[in-house]
C-alpha cells in the first residue's frame, strides 16, 4: 500500500489513503496533528492525514510503500496525538503475478471470460473482458483491496451474475509508461511465478 508525502505541492502533510470515499458523506475528526477521514453513514475510515509530518518522520517527497516498520512509527504518532484508532493495514502484496489455469466463456455475456487464476496461495475466479486473455498465461492481478493508480478500489463483485474476485490488468490500467492503447491484458514473459509481488 502506498502513502504520499509532497512538502512542495501539499505542505508538511503525510497522506494515508485507505478507501475510496463519497465526497458527500465524508467528514473528518482531528486529534492533534492526526486527521481521521471517515464516512458519516458507514463510519468507515477512508484515510488519514498527518500534519507536521517532518517533526515525526524523515520522508523524502514522493510515494512510499507502507511497511510494518513504517506502520509502527505511524502508530506511535497516533498514540502521541491520542487518536483512538491505530493503523492496521493488511500489508500483503495487492498486485501479484497470477497464472491463468483455465478460461471459460461467460454464460451471460459474449465478450466476457470466466478465468480461474492461481495466485500462489489460492486460486480465485476473475471475470475478464480482455480479448487476449487465455489459459496458460502469467498475468498481473490486482487483488481485492488493491487501489489502482486511477484511485479505483478493487472489490469482490458480480459481473452478469458471476462472482469475480480481483482484476487481471492491462499495462494502461497499471499506469505503466508507453502502455499500448489497444485493449488487452498485460501478459508477462520471462522468469515469473504465481504469487510473487508485481512492483511498478
Amino acid at each position: 500500500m502506498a502513502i504520499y508525502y509532497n512538502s512542495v505541492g501539499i505542505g508538511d502533510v503525510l497522506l494515508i489513503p485507505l478507501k475510496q470515499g463519497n465526497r458527500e458523506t465524508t467528514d473528518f475528526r482531528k486529534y492533534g496533528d492526526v486527521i481521521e477521514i471517515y464516512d458519516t453513514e458507514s463510519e468507515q475510515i477512508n484515510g488519514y492525514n498527518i500534519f507536521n509530518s517532518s517533526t515525526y518522520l524523515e520522508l523524502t517527497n514522493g510515494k512510499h510503500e507502507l511497511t510494518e516498520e513504517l506502520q509502527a512509527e505511524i502508530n506511535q504518532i497516533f498514540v502521541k496525538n491520542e487518536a483512538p484508532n491505530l493503523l492496521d493495514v493488511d500489508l500483503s502484496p495487492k498486485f501479484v503475478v497470477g497464472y491463468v489455469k483455465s478460461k471459460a466463456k461467460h454464460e451471460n455475456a459474449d465478450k466476457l471470460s470466466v478465468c480461474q487464476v492461481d495466485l500462489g496461495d489460492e486460486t480465485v475466479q476473475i471475470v475478464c473482458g480482455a480479448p487476449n486473455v487465455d489459459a496458460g498465461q502469467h498475468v498481473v492481478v490486482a487483488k481485492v483491496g488493491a487501489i489502482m493508480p486511477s484511485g479505483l478500489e478493487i472489490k469482490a463483485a458480480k459481473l452478469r451474475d458471476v462472482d469475480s474476485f480481483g482484476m487481471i490488468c492491462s499495462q494502461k490500467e497499471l499506469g505503466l509508461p508507453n502502455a499500448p492503447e489497444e485493449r488487452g491484458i498485460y501478459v508477462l514473459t520471462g522468469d515469473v511465478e504465481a504469487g510473487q509481488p508485481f512492483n511498478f
Side-chain angles (χ1 to χ4, degrees), residues 9-130:
I10 300 172
D12 192 12
V13 183
L14 178 64
L15 307 179
I16 308 172
L18 299 176
K19 301 272 185 188
Q20 269 193 312
N22 180 345
R23 288 177 185 239
E24 294 177 4
T25 59
T26 296
D27 205 348
F28 67 91
R29 293 179 277 248
K30 190 173 190 301
Y31 305 99
D33 285 331
V34 177
I35 305 298
E36 183 181 81
I37 303 160
Y38 71 101
D39 185 274
T40 55
E41 292 180 350
S42 67
E43 284 293 315
Q44 170 184 277
I45 296 172
N46 294 331
Y48 293 95
N49 293 341
I50 300 177
F51 285 80
N52 302 310
S53 295
S54 64
T55 63
Y56 303 103
L57 300 167
E58 289 186 20
L59 291 174
T60 56
N61 283 332
K63 179 170 79 170
H64 297 267
E65 197 63 29
L66 185 64
T67 62
E68 287 185 17
E69 293 78 14
L70 187 50
Q71 182 165 246
E73 289 185 75
I74 289 169
N75 279 331
Q76 288 178 3
I77 299 169
F78 284 17
V79 169
K80 281 180 186 174
N81 286 274
E82 300 183 356
N85 300 302
L86 294 180
L87 190 62
D88 184 17
V89 176
D90 175 9
L91 296 177
S92 63
K94 292 295 182 282
F95 293 89
V96 299
V97 174
Y99 177 75
V100 183
K101 294 168 71 174
S102 67
K103 167 192 164 183
K105 192 174 181 303
H106 193 296
E107 293 179 358
N108 303 318
D110 291 340
K111 294 185 178 178
L112 296 178
S113 301
V114 181
C115 302
Q116 303 301 320
V117 185
D118 178 6
L119 301 182
D121 58 348
E122 62 178 337
T123 296
V124 299
Q125 179 169 282
I126 299 177
V127 177
C128 181

